[in-house]
Amino acid sequence: MAGSLKTEGIVLRSMRYGEADRSLHLYTPQRGRVSAIAKGVRRAKSRFGGRLEPFFRLSLVLYEGRSDLLTVTSAETIAGHRRLREDGASLETAARACDAVGRLFDDGDPHEGVYHLLANELSLLDADPAKAGRANALAFRLKLLLAAGFAPQLSACASCGEREHLAGFSGAAGGVVCSACEAGAFDLGQGAHDFLFGARGRPLAETPQAEPRALAQAERAINATVEHHAHVRWRSVA
Ligand SMILES: [Zn+2]
């Protein structure tokens, strides 16, 4: 299936490769994560300029030969997200968002919603770097689980359906659990529950704030979910 693929893409990772090349992980709407190589990028007169760096949203032409590795033949900037790079916290939050996407999906596992979610997160961090931080990072991860089809059950006990006395969380059960089903679960207090519920229901830009203890429990619930479904470990957001 040799030929050219025209697509948008966000640079998740960019590594030096050989003398002058770069090896990239890109996330695209229709192909999901793809691995690509860009030749001659590190030469002074490269036609790619500084565009093939993490967080760039690009309009790309990729050449697809016989190998799994695509070659970047053209790259135009849609959004460079310059402001988010000037702030330590937003840079770190953006790096963790790209890392979380790159770890959750292998090449060739497309979720168009994930592409839009990541584009939205980067654009938010660029427009308002003060939004960066733990609550935003957790809300992003929760929405990432939702877009990947791994959303935890939050409204009723994931084991028995009980709607009252929801006191714990179990990644294996798939969400919150009641006091009768809580064996093997860990505590999930009201603050953490309210945070997860609010973060799931609202746009990223309106992520609720919460106490550090509640955020720690929410993070544990999100981690338990991704570990159970995808056997992936995400870096701590703290
Ligand atoms: Zn139960």
Side-chain angles (χ1 to χ4, degrees), residues 81-100:
H81 302 121
R82 188 175 53 81
R83 285 188 61 201
L84 82 76
R85 293 159 205 278
E86 292 168 355
D87 178 272
S90 57
L91 189 65
E92 187 59 34
T93 303
R96 285 173 195 230
C98 287
D99 185 66

Side-chain angles (χ1 to χ4, degrees), residues 157 159-162 177-178 180-181:
C157 175
S159 291
C160 75
E162 169 68 50
V177 289
C178 73
C181 297

Side-chain angles (χ1 to χ4, degrees), residues 149-228:
F150 303 145
Q153 161 77 260
L154 297 175
S155 304
C157 175
S159 291
C160 75
E162 169 68 50
R163 290 185 168 268
E164 305 283 325
H165 313 296
L166 303 171
F169 189 96
S170 162
V176 294
V177 289
C178 73
S179 40
C181 297
E182 101 187 300
F186 55 84
D187 287 347
L188 190 87
Q190 192 63 42
H193 188 269
D194 289 348
F195 173 80
L196 290 170
F197 215 80
R200 187 183 64 177
R202 295 189 212 170
L204 273 175
E206 293 164 28
T207 296
Q209 287 303 320
E211 297 294 320
R213 197 176 113 85
L215 291 178
Q217 288 183 350
E219 178 165 18
R220 193 167 172 198
I222 288 169
N223 286 344
T225 302
V226 74
E227 283 173 27
H228 179 74

